[in-house]
Amino acid sequence: MQDRNQGEGNYDAARQFQKEQHEFAQSGQAEGKAREAAEALDGEEGEELERARRAAAEGETTADPEEGEEEA
């Protein structure tokens, strides 16, 4: 698949994302991942996760400095 402008959105990427989401849902891993997320929210990182959730809800983004991305 080559990179090309597809107008409003990237239909190839959307199809690939949807395919992978369906595969994940059918794999039986979703329940375990949901449990992991609940434990993280109740654990030591809960406050940080809540701050990130609120920031994302307000449209703020942050970049991971380890990935070398600049903050948007």
Side-chain angles (χ1 to χ4, degrees):
M1 179 171 55
Q2 66 188 119
D3 262 353
R4 63 186 186 282
N5 185 338
Q6 297 184 343
E8 284 292 320
N10 182 325
Y11 301 116
D12 294 333
R15 275 191 292 276
Q16 182 65 28
F17 177 80
Q18 185 172 16
K19 175 181 175 276
E20 291 174 7
Q21 289 297 302
H22 283 266
E23 289 172 356
F24 176 76
Q26 294 173 350
S27 74
Q29 295 178 30
E31 188 174 315
K33 293 296 183 181
R35 225 180 348 268
E36 285 178 28
E39 289 171 5
L41 288 170
D42 292 336
E44 292 179 17
E45 60 189 326
E47 282 186 37
E48 181 180 353
L49 292 170
E50 179 58 21
R51 279 193 305 275
R53 184 198 65 78
R54 287 177 191 221
E58 294 173 4
E60 296 176 25
T61 61
T62 59
D64 185 353
E66 293 182 4
E67 293 181 13
E69 297 178 13
E70 293 182 18
E71 194 167 319

